[in-house]
Amino acid sequence: MKLNGFQNNSIITPTWLRAYGSPFPTAADTLGALGWAEGFAQGAHTFETPSDHAREHLKSCPALAIWGMADDTLAADHFLPLFRAAFPNGQVNELPDTGHYSLEDNPATITALLKLFLDTTSVS
């Protein structure tokens, strides 16, 4: 997890480690997650390209990106331009000392940003 940009070491306890490790009790149980990560690192995954109709619809949708700028897995310089292109009216919040596990690194800020977005966004 540290390789992905995890920042907040102070919350790591034996209970926390068990919670994250419990879905993977054996080495064989880790193969799917490791294979996905390896494929991602090698550029083997492709993403669907939205149709013109979908792109037009997305432009009017409320959207929020809260991005951990210390995320070494989903780099902001690659993914935030994609978000901004898909949601030109979307809100972007860049959190400098927050990594890939942003809710672990910065729960109070993210909670406040989500609450503000939900409180001020109307969907018709």
Side-chain angles (χ1 to χ4, degrees), residues 55-67 79-94 113 116-117 120-122:
R55 269 191 228 120
E56 278 305 309
H57 179 71
L58 291 175
K59 288 180 182 179
S60 65
C61 292
L64 172 67
I66 302 172
W67 212 271
F79 286 98
L80 283 180
L82 297 175
F83 176 86
R84 287 183 171 112
F87 302 98
N89 298 314
Q91 298 176 32
V92 175
N93 293 275
E94 299 178 7
L113 289 168
L116 179 63
F117 179 76
T120 59
T121 302
S122 62

Side-chain angles (χ1 to χ4, degrees), residues 97-114:
D97 295 321
T98 303
H100 184 69
Y101 299 92
S102 55
L103 288 170
E104 301 282 9
D105 288 337
N106 208 336
T109 300
I110 292 171
T111 299
L113 289 168
L114 284 170

Side-chain angles (χ1 to χ4, degrees), residues 41-53:
Q42 295 173 355
H45 300 306
T46 59
F47 297 93
E48 291 292 322
T49 301
S51 67
D52 291 340
H53 176 73

